[in-house]
Structure formats: C-alpha cells, structure tokens
C-alpha cells in the first residue's frame, strides 16, 4: 500500500516548539529556525513550491504575491486571528482557501486590555520607571505625588462588542466600571442585562460621554481611522483610550496631537499604525508619562500560541482529508 504524500507546508516564522514538532510529524514542513522575517522574494519562492503557506501577521500576502503562486498552492493557513494582511478576495479567485485561528486569544487579549485600562489612569508604567530608571527621585510617600485617576465608578465605552469586547466588559464590570458599547448590531438582551450595558447606536455620542474608550473591533476597510481626528476631538479632556485591536483603527497622528494638547488625558496602546515602527512622538509622550506603550503583546501567552498552532494543524489536516476546514475565511465575512 502506497503511503499518502505529505503536503508541503511553508511556515514563515518560528512557532512554539511543540507546534513545530507536530507540524514536522504530520507534514513536509519547512520551519523558520532563526525567526527572521521572510523577505518578499522568499515568500514568492514559497508560494511557487508549497502546498500550504502558514503566514503570520507580519507577512504581507497581497494580490501580487498570490498571483505568482503555483497551481499546487491550495491553502493559506494563517497563524493569526486577523486576516487583514491577506488578500482573501485574490486567494478566492485563484481557488486558494484561507483559514485563521479564531476564538483562542479572547481571554488573553481581554486580560491585557484590562491591564491597560488600569495602567494608563493609575500611571503604572511611569511609577515603575521612577524606581528603575530615575533612582533617587522617590523620596517616600506623599499625599499629592503621582496621583492618578480612580477606575471604579467610571464609564467604559467599548467599540466592538464581539467576543473580546464582551470579555473586557465582564472584567471591567468586576472593577466597578459601568459598561457602554457601540457595535454594528446590538448584543443579545441576556448579555446586555448581565453586563448592565448601555448600547449606543451613535459612536459620536458615546465617545463624548465615557471616561475610558476601549478599541476591540476588527480591522477592515470600514474601520480604518474609525477614530478620526473629528471623533477624537469629541472625547473629554479627562478621558483615556486603550487599543489592543489594530493600530490603523485610530488616526495615530490625530491621537498624538490630542494627547499633546491635553484634549485626551492619556492612552494605553498595544498596537500601532505602522508596526513595527513606533512614532518617535509617541515614544516621547511615553517618556513623559502620557501614554503606556506595549509591543503588540496582548495575545502573547504560551497557552494562546500553542492553541493557535493546534488550530493551524487542524485546518491543514481537515483540508487535505478532503473536508472543509473549520476556520475557513470567506471574502464576504472579513
């Protein structure tokens, strides 16, 4: 009996060891041992020879790349929840299936969102730096030194009440925040009741009335610069904004201007508009204690990355067993 040929799988970045081991067991997998980002020529060579491409968020899988794919490339199994870096329409035209890894990073991302909701108003990063980078500055406890803002009793406005937004709301409610949200569709009544959440069909009206804004919506053409200069101007001068979704949802230049002019009190950002580049103006604001910046690490847990890898493996195996993969991304649903 002839053994079935293993699909050739090209993995663009280093993955957790347990995931890579499983990939090698099941597939003819080419790993990225040194974890350097693949160049565009390397990606072109990969799509011309591999049966499956496993890209991550840092890889640009656009129509120009997809058009150069060989006829053997049948699956792009993204190691990510978001697929805004992949031209799903172009893949569909070439008969290439695209999958992602949804629903495994909800709790991790919500945890980090809540951490930033706490960190920005309470000046956590600024306080930590005083002990490590400005030794000798702290003279002891003082009634008026390093005063931040109380969290309990404040209004949290969530933009995007999907799985992550709902998980953030549950955490925030436990901290005594009142929940407000803007979403394309109103959530189920039982969810709204459990969270004691107030729905706003107008984003503009919600922004003007909440104390903290949490961005948790997906990145799509419709949400690019959703928080524009005009909308940021609606926020209160005592308000804060937290973003663990995608950098492009906020007009970063306008945000910097609002922070610099005191039109917004502060921000907690885990994502940036031009990643991995971070604006020097944002870095300066961070040094001044006006923003808390993290290097896109809201989903960075060992458990989460392993779960993502398991989903990639399942999607590949299901596809090559002749079935529809469970996490297929359709062009109309991105």
């Amino acid at each position: 009996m002839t053994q079935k040929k293993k699909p050739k799988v090209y993995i663009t970045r280093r993955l957790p060891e347990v995931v890579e081991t499983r990939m090698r067991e099941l597939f003819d997998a080419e790993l990225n041992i040194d974890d350097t980002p693949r160049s565009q020529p390397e990606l072109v060579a990969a799509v011309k020879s591999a049966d499956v491409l496993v890209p991550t968020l840092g890889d640009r899988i656009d129509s120009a790349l997809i058009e150069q794919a060989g006829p053997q490339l049948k699956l792009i199994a993204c190691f990510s929840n978001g697929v805004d870096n992949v031209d799903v329409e172009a893949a569909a035209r070439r008969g290439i299936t695209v999958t992602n890894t949804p629903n495994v990073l909800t709790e991790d991302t919500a945890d980090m969102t809540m951490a930033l909701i706490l960190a920005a108003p309470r000046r956590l990063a600024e306080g930590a730096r005083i002990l490590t980078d400005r030794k000798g500055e702290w003279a002891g406890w003082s009634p008026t030194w390093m005063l931040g803002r109380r969290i309990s009793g404040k209004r949290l406005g969530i933009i995007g009440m999907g799985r992550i937004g709902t998980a953030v709301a549950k955490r925030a409610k436990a901290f005594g925040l009142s929940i407000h949200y803007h979403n394309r569709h109103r959530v189920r009544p039982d969810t709204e009741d459990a969270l004691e959440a107030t729905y706003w069909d107008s984003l503009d009206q919600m922004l003007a009335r909440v104390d903290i804004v949490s961005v948790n919506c997906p990145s799509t053409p419709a949400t690019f610069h959703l928080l524009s200069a005009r909308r940021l101007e609606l926020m209160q001068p005592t308000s804060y904004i937290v973003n663990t979704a995608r950098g492009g949802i906020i007009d970063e230049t306008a945000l910097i201007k609002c922070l610099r002019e005191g039109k917004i009190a502060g921000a907690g950002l885990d994502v940036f508009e031009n990643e991995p580049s971070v604006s020097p103006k944002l870095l300066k604001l961070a040094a001044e204690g006006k923003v808390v910046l993290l290097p896109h690490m809201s989903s960075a847990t060992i458990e989460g990355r392993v779960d993502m890898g398991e989903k990639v493996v399942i999607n590949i195996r299901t596809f090559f067993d002749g079935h529809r993969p469970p996490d297929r991304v359709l062009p109309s649903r991105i």
Side-chain angles (χ1 to χ4, degrees), residues 247 252 270-283 293-295:
E252 199 169 274
D270 184 50
V271 288
F272 307 94
E273 194 164 345
N274 299 300
E275 289 184 23
S277 176
V278 179
S279 167
K281 293 180 179 179
L282 271 179
L283 295 173
L293 305 179
L294 296 176

Side-chain angles (χ1 to χ4, degrees), residues 38 42 44 51 53 70 89 94 124 189 210 235 254 282 326 332:
R38 301 291 194 179
E42 287 175 318
V44 170
D51 302 308
L53 179 68
E89 294 274 3
R94 289 292 305 271
L124 296 189
V210 297
M235 293 176 62
L282 271 179
S332 60

Side-chain angles (χ1 to χ4, degrees), residues 28-317:
D28 178 11
E30 182 173 340
L31 308 178
N32 185 343
I33 301 301
D34 61 6
D35 201 33
T36 54
R38 301 291 194 179
S39 66
Q40 208 63 16
E42 287 175 318
L43 291 175
V44 170
V47 299
K48 286 183 175 180
S49 62
D51 302 308
V52 182
L53 179 68
V54 180
T56 62
L57 281 177
D59 303 305
R60 186 182 176 195
I61 314 301
D62 57 15
S63 59
L65 177 66
I66 290 170
E67 286 304 314
Q68 297 181 74
Q72 83 296 325
L73 183 69
K74 297 299 181 185
L75 178 63
I76 298 174
C78 300
F79 187 87
S80 62
N81 183 21
V83 292
D84 43 299
N85 61 316
V86 178
D87 192 328
V88 181
E89 294 274 3
R93 288 194 298 268
R94 289 292 305 271
I96 300 170
T97 297
V98 177
T99 62
N100 65 342
T101 61
N103 309 333
V104 296
L105 303 177
T106 298
E107 303 303 321
D108 298 329
T109 303
D111 285 345
M112 191 63 83
T113 303
M114 195 65 224
L116 287 171
I117 289 171
L118 289 164
R122 292 302 306 273
R123 304 172 67 179
L124 296 189
E126 187 181 0
R129 283 198 301 273
I130 286 172
L131 295 180
T132 58
D133 301 342
R134 291 147 61 182
K135 295 177 181 179
E137 182 173 324
W138 185 46
W141 183 87
S142 167
T144 57
W145 191 65
M146 284 295 294
L147 299 182
R149 293 276 182 175
R150 179 181 293 166
I151 299 298
S152 177
K154 299 299 190 295
R155 296 185 180 97
L156 173 66
I158 297 173
I159 302 174
M161 197 69 155
R163 291 184 179 88
I164 294 173
T166 301
V168 170
K170 291 176 181 176
R171 287 158 172 76
K173 185 174 183 293
F175 276 84
L177 287 142
S178 64
I179 308 304
H180 297 250
Y181 75 98
H182 171 77
N183 204 43
R184 285 184 300 172
H185 306 290
R186 195 162 182 165
V187 301
R188 291 164 44 114
D190 58 336
T191 300
E192 200 171 89
D193 290 345
L195 296 171
E196 300 179 60
T198 300
Y199 172 66
W200 295 84
D201 57 2
S202 167
L203 176 58
D204 288 6
Q205 291 186 20
M206 185 184 80
L207 289 172
R209 290 167 173 82
V210 297
D211 303 294
I212 303 169
V213 173
S214 178
V215 181
N216 300 108
C217 59
S219 175
T220 69
T223 62
F224 178 73
H225 282 190
L226 178 68
L227 289 172
S228 60
R230 180 189 67 79
R231 283 197 165 120
L232 291 170
E233 292 272 357
L234 298 173
M235 293 176 62
Q236 302 175 54
T238 55
S239 63
Y240 297 82
I241 188 164
V242 167
N243 188 8
T244 55
R246 288 291 185 272
I249 297 171
I250 301 177
D251 182 336
E252 199 169 274
T253 300
L255 174 63
I256 291 169
K257 184 173 184 290
C258 286
L259 289 164
R260 175 60 60 203
E261 295 177 356
K263 295 178 179 178
I264 298 174
L269 307 175
D270 184 50
V271 288
F272 307 94
E273 194 164 345
N274 299 300
E275 289 184 23
S277 176
V278 179
S279 167
K281 293 180 179 179
L282 271 179
L283 295 173
K284 188 172 186 294
L285 286 168
E288 295 169 359
K290 291 184 172 65
V291 296
V292 178
L293 305 179
L294 296 176
H296 202 148
M297 56 186 284
S298 63
S299 64
T301 67
I302 295 169
E303 296 87 350
R305 294 291 187 254
V306 171
D307 288 346
M308 290 171 70
E310 289 176 353
K311 273 190 169 283
V312 171
V313 169
I314 290 170
N315 283 321
I316 297 173
R317 290 193 71 181

